[in-house]
Amino acid sequence: MIAYFKKYAIFVCIIAVALPVIGSTIWPLVTGQLMAASIGGLVMMFVLFVVGLFLGYGIFERKAEGTVDGYLAHYNDECDPEALIQEGAWLAEAITFPCNQMGSWYLGYYAQALLDVGQVGKAKEIAEGLATSMHAAKNPAMRAGILVNLLPLAEKLESPEDALGLLRQGLAWCDESSEIKVAHLREFLLSQQKVLDARASGDQHAIASLARSIATSDLYPMRIRVEYAWDEASAQYKLGNRAEEKRALTFVAQNGNKLALTPKAKERLGGM
């Protein structure tokens, strides 16, 4: 993410330059000659520059990732899309299309937060930009990686059938790639395929079962658990299971915080 943090990139350059400067100051005190006056000195200056570059990048890349994780925690853990948008809008605006996989990772969440606060038009613009980035990626693994970040947004904007078509394209790209890192991408897509297949078929029993397994698992962020609890409640309503519907709605109402689903769940509970 450091590519989108201009001040961090500047700090990396400062560290990279600072080490050779410090080295060139100390070198004459040890050797009695200027650092640039010998091949060994020039090599050492280059080594110090490279070390400084890697050191600075490592420090500020972690700092950038920590900042982004903090932004996303507002949405995924605290269920507060407004906080993510308020603090992270500048970063979303700094990411241009076509973007890389890290940029798509952030924008995929950011666009979902926009949907939660009713900014559907902006969310659709990001979805289109991510689709453009996906097809512009250089190899199947990169395309699959961006697709995985786009898919949860596409599930909310498109029909289950359309989202399934996108998912199958991702699986095809995973099969085209020999890179080890695509294994976890394929695993995610296969897990989502079960959910989308159930939605596309209208099998309310399957939807309720799959949604409940996710909503009750602490392996997922709270925001995702709340969304799947809502899916379960909707399925239980169609099945006529009022007690199970109420249980799922109660989870949404108690844990959804500022998500758009929360007032809907409370309204439904009030009418039961």
Side-chain angles (χ1 to χ4, degrees):
M1 294 302 297
I2 195 172
Y4 307 111
F5 288 74
K6 293 182 179 179
K7 66 176 182 179
Y8 290 171
I10 293 172
F11 292 153
V12 171
C13 294
I14 290 174
I15 293 175
V17 172
L19 285 186
V21 170
I22 295 171
S24 64
T25 302
I26 298 174
W27 186 270
L29 300 177
V30 177
T31 65
Q33 62 178 8
L34 293 175
M35 197 172 193
S38 67
I39 297 298
L42 288 172
V43 170
M44 183 58 67
M45 288 182 70
F46 177 75
V47 170
L48 289 173
F49 174 79
V50 173
V51 169
L53 193 63
F54 277 96
L55 179 64
Y57 186 87
I59 292 172
F60 287 100
E61 175 67 12
R62 286 194 294 273
K63 188 170 179 62
E65 290 176 356
T67 300
V68 174
D69 286 343
Y71 291 165
L72 295 179
H74 290 312
Y75 183 47
N76 289 329
D77 299 330
E78 301 164 17
C79 298
D80 188 348
E82 295 173 359
L84 168 57
I85 294 169
Q86 182 177 358
E87 293 187 17
W90 73 269
L91 179 56
E93 292 169 0
I95 301 173
T96 57
F97 299 116
C99 64
N100 59 22
Q101 191 169 338
M102 288 298 294
S104 71
W105 169 68
Y106 179 76
L107 287 177
Y109 287 120
Y110 184 81
Q112 290 180 74
L114 289 175
L115 284 178
D116 251 301
V117 300
Q119 297 187 40
V120 179
K122 288 185 178 180
K124 287 183 176 179
E125 288 178 5
I126 290 177
E128 292 170 359
L130 292 180
T132 298
S133 302
M134 177 180 68
H135 291 292
K138 296 180 179 179
N139 59 62
M142 291 175 64
R143 290 194 288 271
I146 296 175
L147 183 147
V148 162
N149 295 326
L150 169 61
L151 185 60
L153 177 61
E155 290 178 23
K156 295 179 178 180
L157 289 172
E158 302 175 6
S159 68
E161 292 79 8
D162 290 336
L164 264 173
L166 182 64
L167 183 148
R168 292 184 183 116
Q169 178 62 77
L171 288 173
W173 282 333
C174 286
D175 291 339
E176 289 177 27
S177 176
S178 60
E179 296 184 38
I180 297 176
K181 65 181 181 181
V182 302
H184 75 277
L185 300 178
R186 183 185 289 105
E187 183 179 350
F188 170 79
L189 291 172
L190 290 173
S191 67
Q192 287 302 107
Q193 187 173 27
K194 296 177 183 178
V195 175
L196 288 173
D197 280 337
R199 290 175 182 170
S201 68
D203 185 343
Q204 301 304 321
H205 288 285
I207 293 172
S209 177
L210 288 167
R212 183 173 184 176
S213 69
I214 294 172
T216 56
S217 173
D218 58 9
L219 296 176
Y220 297 90
M222 182 55 71
R223 190 262 309 173
I224 292 177
R225 294 176 64 188
V226 167
E227 290 178 352
Y228 275 95
W230 175 264
D231 287 346
E232 185 198 353
S234 299
Q236 299 290 9
Y237 170 77
K238 293 174 183 177
L239 292 169
N241 299 329
R242 293 297 177 263
E244 294 301 308
E245 178 195 1
K246 184 175 182 180
R247 174 190 52 75
L249 287 172
T250 299
F251 184 86
V252 175
Q254 292 178 345
N255 298 284
N257 195 14
K258 296 184 179 181
L259 296 179
L261 296 175
T262 306
K264 295 178 181 179
K266 290 179 178 179
E267 180 180 3
R268 172 63 183 157
L269 285 169
M272 293 181 75

